[in-house]
Amino acid sequence: MCGIVGYVGTDSAVPVLLSGLRRLEYRGYDSAGVAVVCEGRVLTRKTRGKIQDLERLISKKPLPETRMGIAHTRWATHGVPNDVNAHPHASCDKKITVVHNGIIENYLKLKALLIRQGHRFVSQTDTEVLAHLIEKYYKGNLEDAVARSLKDVEGSFALAAISSDEPHKVVCSRKDSPLIIAQGPGGFFIASDVPAVLEHCRKVVYLKDNQIAVLSPEGLELCDLDRKKICVKFDMITMDAESAQKGGYPHFMLKEIHEQPRVLRKLLSAGQKDIRRFECPSGIRQIVIVACGTAYHAGLVGKYAIESLARLPVFVDLSSEFRYRNPLVDEHTLVIAVSQSGETADTLAAVREAKKRGARIVSICNVVGSSLTRESDQVFYTLAGPEIGVASTKAYTAQLAVFYMLALELASRRKSISSKDYKSYWRQLEDIPRLQEQVLRSRPAIQKIASRHHHFGSFLFLGRHINYPSALEGALKLKEISYIPAEGYAAGEMKHGPIALIDEYRAVVCVAVHSVIYDKMVSNIQEIKARSGKLIAIASKGDKAIRMHTQELILVPKIDEFFSPLLVALPLQILAYDIAVFRGCHVDQPRNLAKSVTVE
């Protein structure tokens, strides 16, 4: 969840490190810091706040010209965000400095032991333990000390370490937290994610668990914790630097909302061919979908789609719950794991639990080379490109599209739909990007609604059938970026409790598009109206009757209800975005959240 950057090369290190941090600020923005080695000393600048606060600090207290260093932007886990808890952290003698992403689960035990041995701690973080452990084992070779230290560590980590005694070397390692090594004309780079290095590099190594990388002017070396050498193999970076820029939009989130038609066109053009390589053994009796957050909502839509077309039982579970019980999963189970980053800690743990029980793992993921893709039997990439905004938008609709394609492929193989219906569904799916573009053109009308409703203290989102997950996702988007309490509910459940909340101070967003249960949704709307709830309806174009109930309308093209979540998602995203903007919230970096949840 934090961002790590490191550099060894021919260019001035500090500007390179700061540029990398800016591109990773979506991963953590409570505090930031930089450390470089110069004239036999490690020099550090760190501060609470965002990258611009670190830049101001460095402008007041400049760092000397140097060709190597490490940097970090933090999302707090242990210790409040302040200058002391900000990374990097140093050993007692100040010769060794580290940055770290993850959680050292046994840090209290290690800390107590190190204190008894005379080490002095200054922060509340678990990370500082690593600096003292490396100091304890340091005998003149930094990678030896790092390797020995990590054998004492329980938990997850991605770390980079430097020593004033070895001023031209950066040592890094990872376990259950992402870390890449990249090479460009100017040298070698370390980063938590590819966008940090896009402007410099096209070649990358996706570091694997318990591997150690040593970067120096002489080159790159890889080894394991026992110091056994590993052959270095680079992959090519496929995304371009422009995709990680705002492209003239005020926020990444708005840019990514508008990218959805392009993403779906790309995905669907490759999808019909790619989906045919889906390897689903004939003995599969059930499908279990594991995911967190927005990906979980995509999984709920996937359940409707697969059960409706393929007639296979599908169970959707929160990864964080699945991993801690005794799930009914065996060799006759197909587990579909969904994660934008491919590094979601709970989803990875759920996959490992399912694999122990013999399940086949298929993942839906956006990031090539991520941990989830390496642990899966088969991967379907969403091809969404880098998603920088913390609140997921284009990755969500891409995940939905993959689920629809999987449902159609399974249905075709199981002969649960006719060839004619199969072709009809595909034609409708391929028309979605055009219809999404129509929805995007309605943003001015949505802005006006947002301007009239951003002052409400709470929201209720209601949907039915395949758009119940849309209600959940709409509520999540709003509370993520505007901090307004919001709940998503199945509209049929409103009478079983939530109706008690409705009054003139609560806004209610109803997904009331054309569907087989439209009349029931209208009944729910009338119940809300009778209790003075402030109604916003997302309805299908051509629906004149809905205007009898509310003038606050967001219209989407009329489409088969089966595919409507792919359209409904966009106005829900735009509504949340514009409400947050009207409230003056930091849309791309909402408080307390980070893009990639790599810790429990």
Side-chain angles (χ1 to χ4, degrees):
M1 293 166 79
C2 306
I4 291 174
V5 181
Y7 174 69
V8 175
T10 58
D11 297 330
S12 179
V14 173
V16 170
L17 295 170
L18 290 174
S19 173
L21 286 186
R22 281 193 293 272
R23 293 177 183 273
L24 290 183
E25 195 167 14
Y26 62 90
R27 297 185 66 89
Y29 33 86
D30 294 331
S31 56
V34 171
V36 299
V37 178
C38 185
E39 297 180 354
R41 294 188 300 155
V42 178
L43 301 176
T44 300
R45 301 288 184 270
K46 58 181 185 175
T47 183
R48 176 185 176 181
K50 298 184 181 294
I51 308 302
Q52 62 191 30
D53 299 302
L54 177 62
E55 290 172 330
R56 280 194 289 267
L57 174 63
I58 292 174
S59 68
K60 293 177 182 177
K61 298 175 64 178
L63 288 164
E65 188 83 6
T66 181
R67 302 287 183 254
M68 63 86 72
I70 56 177
H72 188 271
T73 180
R74 181 176 186 243
W75 187 88
T77 56
H78 297 71
V80 298
N82 60 27
D83 294 356
V84 174
N85 290 328
H87 297 217
H89 289 285
S91 58
C92 294
D93 60 13
K94 309 299 182 187
K95 289 186 176 183
I96 294 168
T97 296
V98 300
V99 292
H100 163 243
N101 179 17
I103 290 182
I104 308 302
E105 294 175 357
N106 62 335
Y107 89 100
L108 288 174
K109 179 181 177 181
L110 292 172
K111 184 174 182 178
L113 174 63
L114 289 163
I115 289 172
R116 289 196 299 272
Q117 294 172 348
H119 291 264
R120 302 179 305 279
F121 285 76
V122 298
S123 78
Q124 298 170 300
T125 68
D126 57 333
T127 298
E128 193 181 352
V129 164
L130 292 171
H132 293 286
L133 268 181
I134 296 169
E135 178 185 33
K136 172 183 174 180
Y137 292 118
Y138 187 74
K139 306 295 182 186
N141 184 284
L142 186 57
E143 55 266 39
D144 284 346
V146 169
R148 177 62 187 85
S149 298
L150 294 180
K151 291 183 178 182
D152 292 346
V153 168
E154 298 171 8
S156 62
F157 57 81
L159 67 91
I162 56 176
S163 170
S164 58
D165 289 345
E166 298 176 79
H168 305 297
K169 181 188 292 183
V170 176
V171 177
C172 60
S173 185
R174 65 151 281 177
K175 179 179 178 291
D176 297 335
S177 285
L179 200 63
I180 64 168
I181 312 297
Q183 184 181 18
F188 291 97
F189 300 77
I190 304 166
S192 296
D193 204 354
V194 170
V197 301
L198 276 176
E199 63 178 313
H200 305 289
C201 305
R202 304 311 305 167
K203 296 167 63 178
V204 63
V205 174
Y206 297 97
L207 210 60
K208 296 180 181 178
D209 280 356
N210 295 315
Q211 288 184 340
I212 292 176
V214 182
L215 287 68
S216 70
E218 286 72 43
L220 169 65
E221 293 182 3
L222 287 182
C223 65
D224 60 21
L225 293 187
D226 293 321
R227 303 289 286 114
K228 182 180 179 180
K229 287 194 175 182
I230 299 169
C231 179
V232 177
K233 183 181 178 182
F234 284 96
D235 292 312
M236 296 303 296
I237 296 174
T238 56
M239 69 177 71
D240 58 86
E242 185 179 346
S243 63
Q245 303 291 330
K246 289 181 183 175
Y249 288 91
H251 298 96
F252 278 110
M253 183 178 177
L254 187 60
K255 172 179 178 272
E256 289 156 7
I257 288 171
H258 280 81
E259 285 177 338
Q260 288 173 103
R262 178 182 60 78
V263 168
L264 254 62
R265 281 195 179 96
K266 180 180 179 182
L267 181 59
L268 294 172
S269 66
Q272 204 158 9
K273 178 181 177 182
D274 287 349
I275 214 72
R276 284 177 183 155
R277 62 183 178 84
F278 179 35
E279 299 169 5
C280 184
S282 58
I284 293 299
R285 297 172 186 165
Q286 65 172 357
I287 294 174
V288 174
I289 299 170
V290 291
C292 299
T294 286
Y296 172 74
H297 299 155
L300 291 173
V301 176
K303 171 185 170 69
Y304 280 97
I306 294 170
E307 289 189 339
S308 174
L309 295 187
R311 309 308 295 159
L312 257 176
V314 180
F315 305 91
V316 188
D317 218 335
L318 289 164
S319 302
S320 56
E321 292 298 318
F322 178 92
R323 63 179 296 192
Y324 288 118
R325 55 184 175 80
N326 193 15
L328 295 173
V329 168
D330 57 21
E331 67 274 15
H332 301 296
T333 303
L334 176 69
V335 170
I336 302 178
V338 193
S339 169
Q340 188 281 140
S341 68
E343 303 292 348
T344 309
D346 287 316
T347 300
L348 286 168
V351 162
R352 290 163 189 156
E353 181 63 30
K355 286 175 76 172
K356 288 179 189 175
R357 297 165 184 265
R360 178 173 178 79
I361 310 297
V362 170
S363 62
I364 299 174
C365 187
N366 192 39
V367 180
V368 176
S370 59
S371 297
L372 179 60
T373 64
R374 293 199 297 269
E375 299 206 23
S376 301
D377 297 304
Q378 189 170 15
V379 181
F380 291 104
Y381 288 105
T382 51
L383 307 181
E387 190 178 64
I388 308 298
V390 167
S392 183
T393 52
K394 62 179 180 175
Y396 172 66
T397 48
Q399 289 163 356
L400 293 185
V402 173
F403 271 119
Y404 283 119
M405 290 189 287
L406 285 173
L408 283 167
E409 182 63 20
L410 278 168
S412 176
R413 293 186 190 185
R414 292 169 60 83
K415 302 188 185 308
S416 53
I417 59 173
S418 68
S419 175
K420 179 181 177 182
D421 285 343
Y422 175 85
K423 292 175 182 177
S424 174
Y425 276 122
W426 260 106
R427 283 195 298 271
Q428 292 179 73
L429 187 55
E430 289 172 334
D431 196 38
I432 294 294
R434 180 184 67 84
L435 299 179
Q436 286 183 332
E437 288 170 342
Q438 292 182 26
V439 176
L440 291 172
R441 287 195 288 271
S442 68
R443 187 190 166 209
I446 301 173
Q447 276 183 299
K448 290 179 181 178
I449 292 174
S451 72
R452 294 192 289 268
H453 291 78
H454 71 274
H455 64 282
F456 280 88
S458 61
F459 276 69
L460 182 65
F461 288 75
L462 299 177
R464 298 190 80 131
H465 200 233
I466 201 167
N467 277 304
Y468 163 48
S470 298
L472 295 175
E473 177 62 10
L476 177 61
K477 281 293 151 287
L478 185 67
K479 57 191 166 192
E480 278 182 315
I481 61 173
S482 74
Y483 319 139
I484 297 174
E487 294 180 86
Y489 256 91
E493 290 295 296
M494 186 179 64
K495 294 185 289 292
H496 299 279
I499 199 168
L501 299 172
I502 294 174
D503 57 24
E504 67 270 27
Y505 303 108
R506 176 182 287 263
V508 185
V509 181
C510 295
V511 181
V513 294
H514 172 75
S515 71
V516 296
I517 42 80
Y518 173 78
D519 290 340
K520 294 184 182 299
M521 194 70 220
V522 169
S523 295
N524 293 132
I525 287 173
Q526 290 172 327
E527 291 163 353
I528 296 163
K529 187 178 177 183
R531 289 157 180 81
S532 302
K534 302 302 180 184
L535 268 166
I536 301 170
I538 298 176
S540 300
K541 288 181 180 178
D543 183 354
K544 296 178 182 179
I546 197 75
R547 296 186 184 276
M548 298 169 52
H549 307 292
T550 179
Q551 295 302 305
E552 301 288 15
L553 283 176
I554 300 172
L555 298 176
V556 298
K558 187 176 179 179
I559 192 175
D560 190 313
E561 178 192 15
F562 183 70
F563 291 114
S564 60
L566 283 164
L567 297 187
V568 168
L570 275 66
L572 291 172
Q573 294 165 359
I574 295 169
L575 181 66
Y577 171 82
D578 282 315
I579 286 175
V581 169
F582 280 120
R583 291 169 67 89
C585 300
H586 203 309
V587 172
D588 285 336
Q589 298 167 5
R591 69 188 182 201
N592 303 333
L593 297 180
K595 183 65 179 174
S596 180
V597 186
T598 58
V599 298
E600 291 186 52

